[in-house]
Amino acid sequence: MSDTEEQIGEEEEEVRGGDEEEQLGEEEEKLGEEEEKQEEEEEEKVPENPLTEEMVGECLSLLCKTGDGLAHAFVRLDIHEREITDISILKAFIHLRYIDLSGNKLKDISSLSVLTHLLTIKADNNLLVSAKLEEMPFLQIASFNKNKIKSLEGVNHPMLEHLSLNDNEITQISGLDPIKLARLHTLELRGNKLETTEGVCLPNLKNLFLAANTIKKVEGMSRLQSLTTLHLRDNQLEALDGFVEELKMLQYINFRGNNITSLKELQKLQALPMLRALVLSENPAAEEEDYRLEVLITLRKLERLDKEEYNDEEREEAEQIYEQRRQEELAAENTAEGEQE
C-alpha cells in the first residue's frame, strides 16, 4: 500500500471514529433527557392525597386567643411527611400562625395566601417550583429548602426576617424588593445554581449564605451596608474583586473550598474595616509558605483564621515584618526619586 493510500485510510478511520464519538455523545444526551423526562413523569404520577379535615384535627396544637381576643383557636399545624398533595382545605383555618408542611408532595402552596396571621412557614422537601405567595403582613420566617424553585419572585413580605431557599434550582438573585424586605436579616441560598452574587440589594441584611453554588464573581455588594457574615464556601472563586468599602460592617467571610491561588488577593479585603475572622482553608493559597503569618501581615486587624485565634506572638511577629517591609519600600522609593533627580 502506498503512503498516500495509507494516509487516506487513517483519515477515514479518524472521521469514522469522530462520527462514532459524536453519535455516542448524542445517544448519551438523549438518554439523559429521557431519564429526566421519566423522573418528571413519575413525579406527575404522584397519587392524589389531599389534606382532610380529619388529618388537620389530628395535627393541630397550641391553643391561643384569636387576634380579636374574643375567642380561642389552635394556631400551630404540623403535617410533615404525610405525602400530602393538596392543602386547599387550609383556607378555612384562618387563625393558623405556625405551619410545617415539610416532606410532602406539594407543588402548590398558594392556598396559604389567605392565612394572614401566619408567622412561620416551613415547606422543605416538597415539589415546589415557586415560593410565590400574596404579601403576608406578619410572616417572619419562611423555609423552602430542597424543592425545585427556580426564582425568588413573589417573596416580598414586610415582616420577613429569615428566608431560606437552600438546595433549589435558582440561577440568579432577582425580584427581592429592598423596601418590602426591610426587616430581612438572614438569606440562605446554599446549594443552588448561582454564578454571581449580583442582585442582593438589601441594605438591612446581616447574614448571607451562598455556599455550594458555582459562583465565580463577587459583585453588586455595595448595597449591603449592614452585612456582618458572608458564607461563600465551596464555590469557584479565583479572585477577590468586588469587596467594596460600603461593606463597612462585614466581620466574617468563609472562602473555604474555592480556587484562590495567591495570598496577594487578600489585599483586596483591606477595604473592609471590621473584618475579624476569615476561613481560607482548602484553597491553593493556603498551601503557601508562612500562610498564617502572611495573612496577618496583609490583614492586620484579623483575629481568627480558619477558626483558630491568632496569639500575641503571631501578632507581634506580623507587626515587625510589616514595619520592616514598609521601611524597605520607603527606602526604595527615596532611592528611585534620587536617581530621577
Side-chain angles (χ1 to χ4, degrees):
M1 184 186 293
S2 70
D3 290 346
T4 306
E5 287 174 341
E6 191 175 334
Q7 189 177 349
I8 290 168
E10 286 174 359
E11 287 173 357
E12 285 176 349
E13 196 172 322
E14 281 178 16
V15 170
R16 278 199 304 273
D19 289 345
E20 285 171 7
E21 283 177 14
E22 192 176 332
Q23 190 176 350
L24 191 63
E26 287 174 0
E27 286 174 4
E28 285 176 355
E29 192 177 330
K30 193 175 179 183
L31 192 63
E33 286 173 2
E34 285 174 1
E35 285 176 0
E36 197 174 318
K37 192 176 178 183
Q38 193 175 344
E39 284 175 15
E40 286 174 4
E41 283 173 358
E42 283 173 9
E43 283 176 8
E44 285 170 10
K45 289 177 188 172
V46 172
E48 288 189 17
N49 183 25
L51 185 62
T52 64
E53 200 164 328
E54 186 182 354
M55 287 184 203
V56 172
E58 291 170 4
C59 301
L60 284 170
S61 63
L62 192 60
L63 190 64
C64 291
K65 275 188 177 181
T66 56
D68 57 14
L70 301 175
H72 286 79
F74 288 106
V75 298
R76 185 187 301 279
L77 179 68
D78 184 347
I79 51 167
H80 72 281
E81 295 180 8
R82 288 173 173 253
E83 300 197 345
I84 302 296
T85 58
D86 187 333
I87 56 169
S88 301
I89 193 174
L90 291 182
K91 289 179 180 178
F93 293 83
I94 58 171
H95 299 296
L96 285 174
R97 298 176 195 169
Y98 312 96
I99 285 188
D100 186 349
L101 305 168
S102 301
N104 286 289
K105 305 288 184 183
L106 295 170
K107 294 181 181 180
D108 178 23
I109 56 168
S110 58
S111 304
L112 300 182
S113 291
V114 301
L115 307 182
T116 54
H117 295 286
L118 277 180
L119 300 176
T120 70
I121 296 173
K122 190 175 181 184
D124 302 341
N125 284 294
N126 276 284
L127 303 174
L128 300 175
V129 294
S130 172
K132 187 174 183 178
L133 290 166
E134 296 298 319
E135 193 173 299
M136 309 197 75
F138 303 113
L139 187 65
Q140 295 173 18
I141 299 170
S143 182
F144 304 102
N145 299 327
K146 296 185 178 178
N147 279 281
K148 297 179 179 298
I149 295 167
K150 291 180 168 58
S151 86
L152 294 167
E153 300 294 329
V155 190
N156 290 309
H157 311 292
M159 298 291 281
L160 193 63
E161 296 179 356
H162 192 140
L163 175 60
S164 186
L165 285 144
N166 298 319
D167 301 310
N168 277 283
E169 298 174 10
I170 298 165
T171 56
Q172 64 177 3
I173 302 170
S174 62
L176 297 177
D177 187 327
I179 296 171
K180 288 182 179 174
L181 292 173
R183 295 175 66 97
L184 189 68
H185 61 67
T186 301
L187 177 60
E188 299 188 38
L189 292 169
R190 299 180 187 90
N192 279 280
K193 297 179 179 179
L194 300 171
E195 293 188 4
T196 172
T197 58
E198 184 75 63
V200 190
C201 301
L202 301 167
N204 298 319
L205 193 72
K206 295 186 184 305
N207 309 300
L208 181 57
F209 298 90
L210 299 173
N213 280 277
T214 55
I215 293 172
K216 299 175 178 68
K217 285 183 179 181
V218 174
E219 51 192 349
M221 304 290 279
S222 61
R223 297 284 298 277
L224 300 177
Q225 298 98 320
S226 302
L227 196 69
T228 61
T229 300
L230 177 61
H231 277 248
L232 285 164
R233 177 179 173 172
D234 297 328
N235 277 286
Q236 296 176 15
L237 291 171
E238 295 179 7
L240 298 182
D241 301 295
F243 286 93
V244 292
E245 59 185 13
E246 285 87 350
L247 294 166
K248 56 193 176 194
M249 302 298 289
L250 190 54
Q251 298 175 27
Y252 174 93
I253 309 176
N254 191 333
F255 290 125
R256 181 177 174 178
N258 277 273
N259 302 322
I260 301 160
T261 56
S262 172
L263 291 178
K264 289 179 180 177
E265 287 296 317
L266 297 183
Q267 293 174 9
K268 297 167 184 175
L269 302 183
Q270 290 173 345
L272 309 175
M274 293 295 289
L275 186 63
R276 297 293 180 269
L278 184 67
V279 180
L280 201 60
S281 56
E282 296 178 28
N283 279 273
E287 304 300 319
E288 287 191 26
E289 191 176 348
D290 296 327
Y291 161 60
R292 280 183 62 79
L293 188 61
E294 290 296 335
V295 171
L296 189 56
I297 291 167
T298 304
L299 302 170
R300 292 158 62 217
K301 292 181 181 178
L302 207 64
E303 295 174 0
R304 195 168 76 244
L305 177 64
D306 299 336
K307 301 184 180 178
E308 188 179 338
E309 297 276 345
Y310 278 109
N311 58 41
D312 291 340
E313 286 178 15
E314 287 176 306
R315 197 167 294 286
E316 190 176 328
E317 185 180 359
E319 281 296 325
Q320 287 174 357
I321 294 172
Y322 169 81
E323 188 57 34
Q324 182 185 333
R325 289 179 184 174
R326 195 175 72 86
Q327 293 296 336
E328 287 171 359
E329 284 173 12
L330 284 172
E333 284 174 14
N334 290 336
T335 303
E337 284 174 8
E339 287 175 356
Q340 284 175 1
E341 288 174 5

